[in-house]
Amino acid sequence: MSTASFQIDVPDALLARARSGELAALEQIYRAFERPAYTLALRMLADTEAAREVVHDAMLHLLERIGQFRGDAPFWGWLRQIVVNQALMRMRHDRGIAFEGLPDDDHWPASAEAPCETADTQHLQRALQRLPALTRSVLWLYHVEEYTHVEIAALTGKSVSFSKSQVARGGSRLRALLESTLDHPQEAAPCLTATAH
């Protein structure tokens, strides 16, 4: 499954120790989730330093709020939500990253297909970086993290139709960018969901 890197089971005993403030338990959780949290933040922000800062902020948030985790949902999902929220907050407040997606009148044809059919990891990363930050984030959240359009709309403060539009238009633009940069477009390579990790 595409979210497997974040789907780490955390034993109840470890969570209980962390909720009680035990630093060793908190460090164990941090080490387990540091890599998937960084990967998610990097894919959303396309900036290594910003991604590191988001992970740092998310883990501080975890430290402050872990006592509020009630266990009615998987811990990994709760923590992933914190990382996504921190990345979106960074997008909103960072002057260098406009919190806008592709406009509705974008000239690329809309498509509901997956964002790419042929691309290797390096080409995919470069193409993703050329998309607007919000479009890139919506594509990643939808295709890789498997958030629904309703969930993405709630996270971004946009409408469900906006999320659908970004997936369609962003996917079309991503395919066009990949086609223009691949040296050998006839050679099959993994798609976005297959190259996520």
Side-chain angles (χ1 to χ4, degrees):
M1 182 174 281
S2 59
T3 55
S5 68
F6 238 106
Q7 290 184 357
I8 300 169
D9 288 328
V10 179
D12 291 340
L14 178 60
L15 279 176
R17 287 166 44 212
R19 279 197 293 262
S20 72
E22 184 185 312
L23 291 179
L26 288 164
E27 183 179 354
Q28 194 173 338
I29 290 172
Y30 173 84
R31 290 186 185 281
F33 286 98
E34 181 181 19
R35 178 58 122 180
Y38 175 76
T39 298
L40 174 55
L42 182 62
R43 293 299 177 249
M44 291 181 68
L45 299 170
D47 181 296
T48 56
E49 188 58 34
R52 285 190 196 99
E53 290 174 10
V54 162
V55 173
H56 178 263
D57 292 344
M59 293 305 174
L60 280 178
H61 191 86
L62 167 68
L63 180 64
E64 295 168 357
R65 303 284 177 91
I66 194 165
Q68 299 175 10
F69 177 69
R70 298 292 175 233
D72 48 355
F75 177 79
W76 64 263
W78 183 73
L79 180 55
R80 183 180 67 166
Q81 191 71 48
I82 291 173
V83 175
V84 169
N85 288 341
Q86 291 294 323
L88 290 172
M89 280 180 18
R90 174 70 186 241
M91 256 189 256
R92 288 187 186 102
H93 294 100
D94 191 334
R95 291 180 184 176
I97 302 175
F99 195 65
E100 293 299 328
L102 293 172
D104 287 338
D105 61 353
D106 188 81
H107 68 279
W108 297 96
S111 169
E113 298 173 13
C116 65
E117 293 177 0
T118 61
D120 64 21
T121 303
Q122 288 183 344
H123 283 110
L124 177 59
Q125 289 174 353
R126 282 196 288 270
L128 280 168
Q129 289 175 357
R130 293 177 62 187
L131 295 175
L134 186 55
T135 301
R136 179 177 58 246
S137 296
V138 170
L139 280 173
W140 192 265
L141 291 173
Y142 182 78
H143 284 292
V144 180
E145 299 296 330
E146 297 181 347
Y147 279 80
T148 67
H149 288 298
V150 172
E151 291 168 331
I152 293 170
L155 284 169
T156 59
K158 304 284 188 177
S159 66
V160 171
S161 61
F162 177 85
S163 177
K164 290 179 179 179
S165 172
Q166 293 307 292
V167 168
R169 295 175 188 281
S172 294
R173 175 164 290 186
L174 185 58
R175 276 192 298 279
L177 289 168
L178 289 167
E179 288 169 6
S180 69
T181 58
L182 283 174
D183 295 330
H184 304 287
Q186 72 278 8
E187 293 180 10
C191 187
L192 176 64
T193 54
T195 60
H197 303 295

